[in-house]
Amino acid sequence: MDLTRSLSDVVALLAGLVAALAPFFWADNAGAAGQPLLILGTLLIVSALWAILGAGGASSWVTAAFGGLLFVSPWAFGFDGQSAAAWTAWLAGAVTVVVGLLTSLQARSGATARA
């Protein structure tokens, strides 16, 4: 396993934990944000754990896609007016997208360099 890949999976795991647990820290203000953050955060956690354990399947593209969904969730689910929830989704989603895409591009360029 590549060290860069495992570090990106750990970052995605931490971003998923932040997204999934954040509604419990501001439960009185969760409202419409609680369920999307919990579901998308859990999907990130599962995707990252799947990759960390080396089970194949979930690639960095999948993790980046979950991060993208998390990033747009405040607008899609109408909680962009709740600042704590929206900023949690935007930051966790952006970090996951950037790390996922960088890892995918590094793996792709490494595969073409070996060929």
Side-chain angles (χ1 to χ4, degrees), residues 2-113:
D2 185 16
L3 181 61
T4 306
R5 171 114 173 108
S6 63
L7 286 176
S8 69
D9 294 330
V10 170
V11 169
L13 176 70
L14 292 175
L17 283 171
V18 166
L21 296 177
F24 297 109
F25 291 112
W26 31 263
D28 55 336
N29 294 346
Q35 198 170 26
L37 285 176
L38 183 63
I39 291 171
L40 291 171
T42 303
L43 286 173
L44 269 175
I45 292 168
V46 169
S47 173
L49 283 176
W50 195 271
I52 288 171
L53 296 175
S59 70
S60 298
W61 290 105
V62 173
T63 303
F66 287 149
L69 287 173
L70 186 60
F71 184 81
V72 300
S73 66
W75 296 292
F77 294 103
F79 62 91
D80 55 338
Q82 299 174 349
S83 61
W87 279 103
T88 300
W90 290 327
L91 291 176
V95 166
T96 305
V97 167
V98 168
V99 169
L101 290 179
L102 285 176
T103 305
S104 295
L105 294 175
Q106 285 176 349
R108 185 175 176 182
S109 66
T112 54

